[in-house]
Amino acid sequence: MHVAQLATDAQVVVNGGEQRGLIQSDGRFAVDNLRLGDSLLEIASTNYAFPKIHVRIAISEEDGQAAVAARYVQLGSKWSEETPVLAYPLQIGASAKYDFFTPRQGFSIITMFSNPYMLMVGASLVAVFVLPKLQANMDPEALKELQAKS
């Protein structure tokens, strides 16, 4: 997917909206003044779904420089140090394209008769038309016994 396919409102969101950054036409983005520690980086787009990324910024004890480690993360799970670190600069691809439209289903006689309302209508029709015919064909003695019970 090229960045040109992203909607103009696509942007990089950090920690649910604490900070935001716009995506440039060449695909680069920058979010300035991120705090030390852990952050959740998301790309908010109306047309594509992107993976969430856990970003950890720490000061290296050896040279005092800031070290950045980015990992994919599943929402609802704990951030794990076992997942592999992503290469810098980040290459983030869309994981799916949103599809907001479902095709209209055609007519199906099976679907029509599996509707609970139609099943109730069918049972009522059987009770109205078929049961009197069955009673007319019953043995007269059995019919008298049935009427005596009720």
Side-chain angles (χ1 to χ4, degrees), residues 10-150:
Q11 52 184 278
V12 177
V13 179
V14 178
N15 291 334
E18 281 182 12
Q19 293 175 288
R20 296 179 183 272
L22 295 177
I23 300 173
Q24 299 174 4
S25 61
D26 61 356
R28 292 183 295 136
F29 64 88
V31 180
D32 296 326
N33 300 325
L34 283 179
R35 293 179 285 139
L36 292 176
D38 296 325
S39 299
L40 180 67
L41 184 129
E42 304 173 72
I43 296 180
S45 172
T46 56
N47 297 327
Y48 295 94
F50 288 89
K52 314 294 188 244
I53 297 176
H54 166 222
V55 178
R56 175 169 286 162
I57 302 173
I59 301 294
S60 174
E61 294 177 4
E62 299 151 0
D63 56 4
Q65 297 289 327
V68 178
R71 296 175 169 87
Y72 289 125
V73 67
Q74 291 283 350
L75 289 182
S77 64
K78 293 185 178 183
W79 291 350
S80 172
E81 298 294 325
E82 297 172 3
T83 56
V85 176
L86 300 174
Y88 187 81
L90 296 176
Q91 300 280 330
I92 306 170
S95 56
K97 183 174 184 349
Y98 292 129
D99 187 16
F100 295 107
F101 300 101
T102 55
R104 184 178 177 159
Q105 294 180 350
F107 177 76
S108 170
I109 194 85
I110 295 170
T111 304
M112 186 175 87
F113 284 113
S114 65
N115 184 336
Y117 181 74
M118 290 300 289
L119 293 173
M120 289 181 0
V121 167
S124 300
L125 289 175
V126 165
V128 168
F129 292 110
V130 175
L131 288 179
K133 300 274 186 203
L134 290 175
Q135 282 183 342
N137 293 335
M138 279 182 75
D139 182 35
E141 292 176 11
L143 186 59
K144 286 181 185 176
E145 286 180 27
L146 186 64
Q147 288 174 351
K149 287 183 182 179
S150 56

